[in-house]
Amino acid sequence: SFDWNDGLFDVTWSETNENMLITCSGDGSLQIWDMAKTKGPLQVYKEHTLEAYSVDWSQTRGEQLVVSGSWDQTAKLWDPAVGKSLCTFKGHEAVIYSTIWSPHIPGCFASASGDQTLRIWDVKTPGVKLVIPAHQAEVLSCDWCKYDENLLVTGAVDCSLKGWDLRNIRQPVFVLLGHTYAIRRVKFSPFHATILASCSYDFTVRFWDFSKPNPLLETVEHHTEFTCGLDLSLHNRGQV
């Protein structure tokens, strides 16, 4: 158990060291922790000026980079071996809720924001690569399909999930309806190209297959409060 003096909003495992993880917190800082040394964080990065709400470790073999997203409307790029950020990405016009690396394209990440957009970034260029007006509401979460480098999903305060093909962003490739309150987190399955899971302030977790005429596979109602996060196991295809 690790303690920090402010709320922790997100966590990501290191892709290089099984004992290492990074959290981000309400004071705008990122903390690197080592499970072998529980006395305190190995390092603290304090650059964001408002809540750091999202953190993700890159999963392509080409690099070891971390991206963070903040309520200060910026995303920052970090190399955990370097004591300060490598780069700051500006363009969002409201808080950033989610920053997720592409599992396919080195140096590419997506961000979801309260400005109602999904944005695609390339670490080699400072400006935004693509702006997708994804919802007419705050976008709280996004994820990349594990089997199609051009496909992403967004989840928003309008209770909908939308799929986006980066080659044609004029309209979504699918829209999934069923949640009754804002969708807080969405994740694609690591085992099935068309299956995803979402959780919501409506207390439910839902599983979807967007290739089916009736895409809602299952609604899980075990929780008695807001369901704020979920992830799918890479090791056990039935475990969430």
Side-chain angles (χ1 to χ4, degrees):
S1 167
F2 299 110
D3 290 309
W4 188 246
N5 54 14
D6 208 315
L8 297 175
F9 288 127
D10 202 7
V11 60
T12 183
W13 283 105
S14 164
E15 293 291 324
T16 55
N17 180 339
E18 65 181 24
N19 286 316
M20 197 182 287
L21 47 104
I22 298 184
T23 50
C24 63
S25 71
D27 62 8
S29 68
L30 278 64
Q31 305 80 27
I32 299 185
W33 308 91
D34 186 338
M35 290 200 300
K37 307 184 185 90
T38 54
K39 286 271 189 290
L42 298 179
Q43 271 184 297
V44 177
Y45 301 132
K46 178 78 172 79
E47 287 188 29
H48 286 296
T49 56
L50 293 171
E51 285 86 344
Y53 209 67
S54 172
V55 63
D56 194 35
W57 200 300
S58 64
Q59 293 175 14
T60 54
R61 289 174 185 270
E63 74 243 327
Q64 283 309 315
L65 297 173
V66 171
V67 65
S68 60
S70 169
W71 290 11
D72 67 11
Q73 306 182 9
T74 71
K76 284 181 180 284
L77 180 70
W78 311 84
D79 177 339
V82 178
K84 60 182 193 295
S85 66
L86 306 178
C87 181
T88 300
F89 297 90
K90 297 177 179 173
H92 277 297
E93 293 163 25
V95 301
I96 295 174
Y97 289 113
S98 181
T99 46
I100 303 286
W101 288 105
S102 166
H104 310 282
I105 308 159
C108 178
F109 69 91
S111 58
S113 167
D115 67 11
Q116 309 184 355
T117 67
L118 171 71
R119 294 179 190 231
I120 311 298
W121 311 80
D122 181 342
V123 299
K124 292 182 281 298
T125 56
V128 65
K129 198 169 162 186
L130 194 59
V131 180
I132 301 168
H135 297 258
Q136 288 183 308
E138 290 195 294
V139 188
L140 301 186
S141 185
C142 61
D143 196 29
W144 296 80
C145 178
K146 310 301 184 279
Y147 294 87
D148 181 345
E149 68 177 35
N150 290 300
L151 184 63
L152 291 96
V153 63
T154 52
V157 172
D158 64 9
C159 310
S160 74
L161 295 158
K162 293 184 181 181
W164 300 97
D165 186 323
L166 299 183
R167 294 161 300 188
N168 179 8
I169 60 170
R170 278 192 303 247
Q171 68 264 339
V173 287
F174 62 80
V175 179
L176 304 175
L177 301 173
H179 280 295
T180 55
Y181 282 94
I183 294 161
R184 179 61 189 273
R185 187 67 61 100
V186 58
K187 289 280 182 182
F188 269 106
S189 165
F191 294 105
H192 301 94
T194 59
I195 288 180
L196 46 98
S198 58
C199 66
S200 163
Y201 289 137
D202 66 13
F203 303 0
T204 69
V205 174
R206 294 174 195 243
F207 298 93
W208 314 80
D209 184 339
F210 67 80
S211 68
K212 289 188 157 47
N214 297 313
L216 183 59
L217 301 176
E218 188 183 356
T219 303
V220 180
E221 298 182 330
H222 294 318
H223 291 288
T224 56
E225 251 305 337
F226 295 158
T227 316
C228 292
L230 86 168
D231 205 357
L232 289 85
S233 171
L234 294 171
H235 307 288
N236 179 343
R237 62 176 56 218
Q239 204 169 61
V240 175

